[in-house]
Amino acid sequence: MENTIINHPANRSCEKLLIKAIQTGKTRRNKDRDHLTESFQKLIAELYDEENTTFGSGVVGMAWRLEWIVKKKLFLGFDLHEVEEILEDVDNFIYKRTIYQNASDFSLTDGLLGDLYYLVNRLDRISPEVKKIPIAKCIFILIDRLSTAFSAIVSSNVGSSKNVNDWSSDQLKFFSQLFHILSFVPFLPYTEYGVIQQLIDKMSNFIKYLFIESLDMHPDEISQERYTDLLMLSVCYHNVGKKLKISRWEKRGKQYTAHYIGLMNFDEIYSAAFSEKFLRIYGLIVSSGITIEINTKVLIEKLWIEYQSNNQDRSDLLEAIIGGNTKPSHAAMISDLQIISI
């Protein structure tokens, strides 16, 4: 599985500096800050030239990362004026794309979900307030289109003879990521915010339906890759409950996370093509603060060692989280990065 954001060749130096900042809390050397600023400026310009404006490997993804760094105050001493110029250009680009185009791709990597995640993270730093109004409306339009997409996917499958194995991994990943991102949407002026809350509730009910459907099946009837997808749904369910202060969601998500990880056959995962996906989801579990039984952690450590020996071009981000090189105080912030890497 290719993680296009992290593996984009032009982004490797940015990735290393970002991991260094996460591990230390800040970067003190001016040359590191200057290098990062120059790297982002050069990369975004190159991506515009290539007409690569996606979240997965393009302009929107790089701008999201730049906004993330500024909000977390990891690199003190940034020239914020230059940063804002870059980000305002991206704001305007996404606004025009949303208003004048009706994209058919809804994914985080290449479609509407990536635009939404960028704008949601961007909104509270936009000033003056009057500039927030078109961005808020843009967010609402994107959520309305994503809600339509979610309803269409669900209505095409629910009530048929399909079981949990017949949902595609891409569909379940879309559900997980959309649910996660919706929990970060702030109150939006000049929009019907209740519509957003209704979608969150609708998604919660549907995810519970998937959990219950999986429990009604014999464990051997569910593929290991599907358990991996359900594991991602459960940890996102936990995180949304935690973010929105809905304790029953948080508790249920934690229970299902323990349930699904307990059904994983690690002998099969060792040789499976989805082993990296599982490790990334485990990274999300770790950064979410969910406790894993010691015996299971030993098996995952064995899988991690196996992965390291077979992947020389591995992600620095995954190394920082699973390798234990991250300060506990920074674990929560990394969950933002993990959700985009799966």
Side-chain angles (χ1 to χ4, degrees), residues 8-232:
H8 194 288
N11 191 35
R12 295 299 296 177
S13 60
C14 292
E15 180 74 13
K16 290 182 183 299
L17 285 171
L18 180 58
I19 297 307
K20 184 175 182 180
I22 291 171
Q23 291 170 342
T24 63
K26 61 184 178 180
T27 295
R28 297 180 178 84
R29 294 189 299 173
N30 288 333
K31 69 175 184 178
D32 283 347
R33 294 194 295 268
D34 292 343
H35 181 202
L36 188 75
T37 305
E38 291 170 7
S39 297
F40 271 110
Q41 288 174 327
K42 181 180 178 182
L43 179 56
I44 288 175
E46 288 176 355
L47 292 170
Y48 267 127
D49 289 342
E50 296 169 9
E51 298 184 350
N52 184 350
T53 57
T54 66
F55 191 99
S57 61
V59 169
V60 175
M62 293 305 106
W64 179 91
R65 186 166 281 205
L66 183 55
E67 171 67 20
W68 189 89
I69 288 171
V70 172
K71 286 182 73 171
K72 301 298 183 183
K73 299 180 181 178
L74 292 181
F75 289 87
L76 306 177
F78 251 8
D79 186 335
L80 291 180
H81 178 71
E82 289 186 11
V83 169
E84 284 305 311
E85 285 186 348
I86 294 172
L87 296 175
E88 284 182 8
D89 284 345
V90 179
D91 297 344
N92 293 332
F93 173 81
I94 293 177
Y95 177 79
K96 291 176 182 176
R97 176 157 70 182
T98 302
I99 298 299
Y100 299 114
Q101 299 177 25
N102 195 357
S104 57
D105 192 306
F106 303 106
S107 69
L108 180 69
T109 303
D110 298 310
L112 298 183
L113 197 53
D115 287 355
L116 175 64
Y117 202 21
Y118 168 78
L119 292 178
V120 164
N121 280 278
R122 181 87 176 102
L123 186 65
D124 62 346
R125 279 204 330 106
I126 294 176
S127 63
E129 283 293 314
V130 68
K131 286 188 176 181
K132 290 187 177 182
I133 297 172
I135 299 300
K137 289 185 176 180
C138 190
I139 290 173
F140 189 76
I141 290 169
L142 289 169
I143 289 174
D144 183 61
R145 292 175 183 170
L146 288 163
S147 177
T148 301
F150 168 74
S151 297
I153 294 170
V154 170
S155 63
S156 68
N157 285 355
V158 172
S160 69
S161 58
K162 291 187 175 184
N163 61 40
V164 72
N165 277 328
D166 295 315
W167 296 90
S168 73
S169 287
D170 285 342
Q171 288 173 333
L172 295 177
K173 181 166 72 171
F174 171 71
F175 299 152
S176 297
Q177 291 173 332
L178 176 58
F179 193 52
H180 171 89
I181 291 168
L182 286 173
S183 71
F184 285 86
V185 177
F187 176 79
L188 301 176
Y190 305 98
T191 63
E192 298 177 40
Y193 187 75
V195 173
I196 300 171
Q197 188 59 52
Q198 288 173 13
L199 176 57
I200 291 174
D201 291 340
K202 185 191 297 185
M203 291 201 71
S204 169
N205 290 332
F206 174 71
I207 292 170
K208 283 191 292 185
Y209 157 80
L210 288 178
F211 291 158
I212 293 169
E213 187 181 53
S214 72
L215 293 178
D216 287 340
M217 299 172 64
H218 190 277
D220 292 341
E221 294 180 295
I222 300 177
S223 68
Q224 286 296 299
E225 184 168 16
R226 185 58 67 247
Y227 276 132
T228 303
D229 296 324
L230 290 168
L231 188 62
M232 182 176 177

Side-chain angles (χ1 to χ4, degrees), residues 6 94 136 183 190 270 308 340:
I6 289 175
I94 293 177
S183 71
Y190 305 98
Y270 290 142
Q308 284 181 304
I340 68 172

Side-chain angles (χ1 to χ4, degrees), residues 23 286 304 317-328:
Q23 291 170 342
V286 171
W304 170 239
L317 177 61
L318 202 57
E319 179 91 41
I321 296 169
I322 299 181
N325 299 321
T326 306
K327 289 188 174 183

